[in-house]
Amino acid sequence: MSGAALLEQLRSARMVDLTHPYAVGMPYWPGRLQHPFEHIVEEVRPRVWGGCFTMAEHSGTHVDAPRHFVAEGRSAEALKVEEMILLGVVIDVSDQAATDPDYSLTVDDIRRWEHRHGPIPLGAAILLHSGWGRRWRDAEAYLNKDAEGVLHFPGYSGEAARFLVQERRATLLGVDTLSADNMVRTLAEDSPVHRLVHEADGLILENVAHVEKLPATDFILFVSSIPIEGATGAPARVFALV
């Protein structure tokens, strides 16, 4: 196939942008080495404008590299282009999350999905649709912090992550919230999803936008993260071809 024919074929597919714009005031994980996004643009000389921004590695729509939880794991610049193009599936738990903000995907949820859509393709990227993305422009609602400072948002359970990584060979788990581990499980079980995925040299994609615009299966996911040397994670432009 020629390059022109391939380009025409790609352009004929529906594209879904899965990236939140990086903007001042966007939600971010609180704590040490976390920093709100800041951006300054100025006229540096007549009719020439330039700017600079500061942010944490794990801000906005971003990839967690294995080094995030594994001291000798791969850092952001070591991630390969070919592992950033994947078949994708979406598992919808928005109904459960609507009544339980701490809901965690279960193995039973996965089996129900497979009963309806067929087995998850080996090596596919898994995106969790919790409905949390609609809160993105309201940082307070997105973090959903209680009186004691604990954040409440949906994520994966350690059991579900283990099933996806070990039984379905998933190399990337994504979510439309701050973290694949919701904070309740992070505090109780020490971030089981991150530890399991990163120990298997896999990636985690967080703060994914517009997951509700994707079908349950049959799309191609593109994750274009910045190769920052030594970084534990990096911002990414993420999109899908349907």
Side-chain angles (χ1 to χ4, degrees):
M1 179 182 293
S2 69
L6 177 59
L7 179 60
E8 184 64 26
Q9 184 175 7
L10 291 175
R11 283 179 171 171
S12 69
R14 180 167 65 93
M15 295 190 181
V16 181
D17 191 347
L18 302 172
T19 313
H20 288 296
Y22 290 80
V24 174
M26 71 180 186
Y28 68 97
W29 188 276
R32 187 170 178 270
L33 291 184
Q34 303 298 325
H35 193 282
F37 180 84
E38 296 180 352
H39 186 207
I40 300 172
V41 176
E42 296 180 353
E43 190 173 12
V44 295
R45 58 187 175 88
R47 295 184 299 158
V48 178
W49 289 263
C52 65
F53 61 85
T54 58
M55 61 186 292
E57 293 175 349
H58 301 269
S59 293
T61 304
H62 69 275
V63 173
D64 290 357
R67 194 184 179 202
H68 189 29
F69 273 73
V70 178
E72 301 303 321
R74 290 185 301 152
S75 48
E77 86 285 359
L79 306 183
K80 299 175 182 178
V81 172
E82 52 266 32
E83 65 185 298
M84 300 296 193
I85 305 174
L86 300 155
L87 286 175
V89 306
V90 172
I91 301 178
D92 188 344
V93 295
S94 57
D95 286 345
Q96 297 94 314
T99 57
D100 180 5
D102 297 313
Y103 190 80
S104 297
L105 179 74
T106 68
V107 175
D108 284 343
D109 291 326
I110 299 169
R111 293 196 184 281
R112 281 191 291 269
W113 187 97
E114 293 190 319
H115 180 75
R116 182 174 182 181
H117 301 286
I120 292 173
L122 296 180
I126 315 300
L127 299 182
L128 192 65
H129 170 35
S130 72
W132 224 247
R134 68 174 67 97
R135 300 178 178 224
W136 178 254
R137 294 197 176 276
D138 183 345
E140 185 175 331
Y142 196 79
L143 270 65
N144 198 28
K145 188 183 299 185
D146 66 21
E148 297 179 355
V150 177
L151 310 185
H152 296 273
F153 54 83
Y156 292 79
S157 69
E159 297 79 13
R162 184 175 297 106
F163 178 87
L164 291 167
V165 170
Q166 296 180 356
E167 302 297 328
R168 298 297 180 262
R169 302 179 193 171
T171 58
L172 184 150
L173 301 187
V175 66
D176 57 356
T177 66
L178 276 172
S179 175
D181 283 290
N182 66 37
M183 195 167 182
V184 171
R185 283 185 176 261
T186 294
L187 293 173
E189 303 176 36
D190 193 20
S191 306
V193 178
H194 279 81
R195 295 196 182 281
L196 189 145
V197 172
H198 291 330
E199 286 170 3
D201 197 37
L203 311 179
I204 291 176
L205 185 63
E206 294 169 334
N207 297 322
V208 183
H210 309 307
V211 183
E212 71 280 358
K213 296 182 179 180
L214 294 172
T217 188
D218 291 331
F219 63 90
I220 300 173
L221 183 72
F222 292 79
V223 181
S224 183
S225 60
I226 300 175
I228 304 170
E229 189 167 326
T232 65
R237 187 64 184 264
V238 183
F239 62 96
L241 292 181
V242 181

